[in-house]
Amino acid sequence: MLNPIRSFIFWLNEAEHVARFQHYFGIRPLANRQPDLIPKIEKKKNINEKNSNNNTTAQILNGLYNRHHERKVTYDKNVLDECLQEIEHSNNQNKTENPNSTDVDYKVTSWFWYYFFQLGSALGNEIFYILFFPTWIWNVDGCVARKVSILWAFFMYIGQASKDILQIPRPSSPPVLQLEKRYVEEYGFPSTHAMFAAGIPFSLVFLSYQRYEFDLTIGLICASIICLWVCLSRIYLGMHSFLDIIGGTIYALILVFLTFSHVDTIDNFVLDYSSSPILGFLLGIFLIKCYPSVKQWSTARSDTTIILGSTFGFLSATTVMNKLGLLERPIMPPIYAILEPDLGLWCLRTIIGLLIVATTRQIVKTIVLRYACTFYGLDWKNPDSKRYAKIEMPYYYLTYFIIGFNIAFTCPLAFRALGINRDYSFTEL
């Protein structure tokens, strides 16, 4: 009974399925592509002879060794910079038919599917949720955004930690062509993009359905489409196997199901207890300290730190707003009708808010990096300094904690002062 299940699981993890999917949608290897592989037997022999690190054996999959797991990430900026640089990097690669860079090992034969799947993958990247949560807080409903962020921090922390504990590598290259280089050094299972794509849309639909009147079936269909789009995009980009995305989707839905009934309790604690900002800040530090250590640096730990910092900063701002009496309790209980938004004010709030966030991010990250590196006797201009855990934790955590706080406190106050705030009468509590 177990053997067929085990065989099916291994079949889902085969890299050949990913390569065929890429080929079908127009991703082809270059004719002059450099060989990436060392035969498994030879690699094992070298390991035994040289007594090299044991972690390389975990990178041997389907008889092949992927050299990209030893590749040093060249991006040295914050996560938002890395996402923007990755987009520019990919565009520059594909605009040239005969590139000279050894990193370019593919060509695109269908630009429609290329941009279709790039956009789908972006829905699960940091750039999307950096834009999504502020936009929802400033223009739609702060209560729903607050509860979604609680679930987001919970399942993303567990997902990222599980990935570094299991240490299951990404699909081997070749046959797979990896289009998104910044994630190459992370492990593959479970796919946290799939966890995000499943957890956020479905949480948003169910939490909104508790407060607003709309067709639940349409909401679930939209959430399913987004989830499928993001998951298939990760296959297209060569970053995950089918097992990775199926496992990530199921994992996220289970975690959301287990946590959903407790979200209101957590939210009430955040709103009612004056000490919750301090407790939240300390809890974030504790969770970062408990994050599993890996021998090889990757972006997983920094991304997790950003998620925790943003969430606890946002929740802390909500506590302060409530204690100052700035959150209005609705006169009538849910369910509410969905009101037509003022698109002009929507855009104005978003532009002003993002300018405040960008300014905050630039100032805070520079100050924190300089002081942290000075304290530990490191060169703050050296990009590798940010890879030390003692630098990475304050650099990302403090920066995004303050950003999260400004998103939910400073920006709404600025909107009120300018007279462009939205209706808060039933959207905050």
Side-chain angles (χ1 to χ4, degrees), residues 393-413:
M393 193 278 287
Y395 175 70
Y396 288 111
Y397 187 68
L398 291 178
T399 298
Y400 279 85
F401 184 92
I402 295 174
I403 288 175
F405 189 90
N406 277 356
I407 287 172
F409 183 80
T410 306
C411 291
L413 290 185

Side-chain angles (χ1 to χ4, degrees), residues 186-371:
E186 286 189 19
Y187 295 105
F189 182 89
S191 168
T192 46
H193 277 76
M195 294 185 70
F196 177 88
I200 293 295
F202 285 102
S203 299
L204 186 64
V205 169
F206 285 116
L207 288 170
S208 298
Y209 190 68
Q210 293 178 345
R211 296 176 60 84
Y212 296 98
E213 183 179 357
F214 64 91
D215 191 327
L216 179 61
T217 302
I218 294 177
L220 292 177
I221 291 174
C222 292
S224 300
I225 291 173
I226 292 174
C227 180
L228 183 63
W229 188 9
V230 174
C231 289
L232 292 181
S233 297
R234 304 307 292 164
I235 300 293
Y236 175 87
L237 295 176
M239 304 314 296
H240 286 290
S241 67
F242 284 92
L243 178 65
D244 296 340
I245 62 170
I246 294 173
T249 301
I250 296 174
Y251 199 16
L253 293 178
I254 291 174
L255 292 174
V256 170
F257 175 77
L258 294 175
T259 317
F260 197 85
S261 59
H262 304 290
V263 170
D264 286 338
T265 303
I266 299 172
D267 186 56
N268 291 333
F269 175 82
V270 169
L271 291 170
D272 296 336
Y273 287 88
S274 302
S275 58
S276 63
I278 298 175
L279 294 176
F281 182 82
L282 296 177
L283 177 60
I285 295 175
F286 175 76
L287 291 174
I288 296 168
K289 289 292 185 180
C290 293
Y291 190 83
S293 301
V294 292
K295 295 181 180 179
Q296 182 170 322
W297 182 90
S298 73
T299 57
R301 187 177 62 194
S302 59
D303 289 351
T304 306
T305 305
I306 288 171
I307 291 170
L308 293 176
S310 303
T311 300
F312 286 118
F314 171 35
L315 296 179
S316 298
T318 302
T319 305
V320 176
M321 291 281 283
N322 191 43
K323 293 302 178 182
L324 293 177
L326 297 175
L327 300 183
E328 301 179 32
R329 190 167 297 277
I331 300 175
M332 298 292 294
I335 302 292
Y336 308 117
I338 297 178
L339 302 179
E340 182 179 354
D342 187 325
L343 295 181
L345 291 179
W346 180 303
C347 294
L348 186 59
R349 284 192 295 265
T350 302
I351 293 172
I352 294 176
L354 290 178
L355 288 175
I356 295 174
V357 169
T359 303
T360 301
R361 175 178 170 273
Q362 189 63 35
I363 294 174
V364 174
K365 75 169 188 175
T366 303
I367 294 175
V368 172
L369 180 62
R370 290 193 181 190
Y371 275 93

Side-chain angles (χ1 to χ4, degrees), residues 151-172:
L151 293 170
W152 172 55
F154 174 72
F155 67 71
M156 287 298 288
Y157 179 84
I158 294 181
Q160 294 278 33
S162 299
K163 184 186 291 187
D164 282 339
I165 291 172
L166 296 173
Q167 298 188 2
I168 299 176
R170 295 187 182 277
S172 56

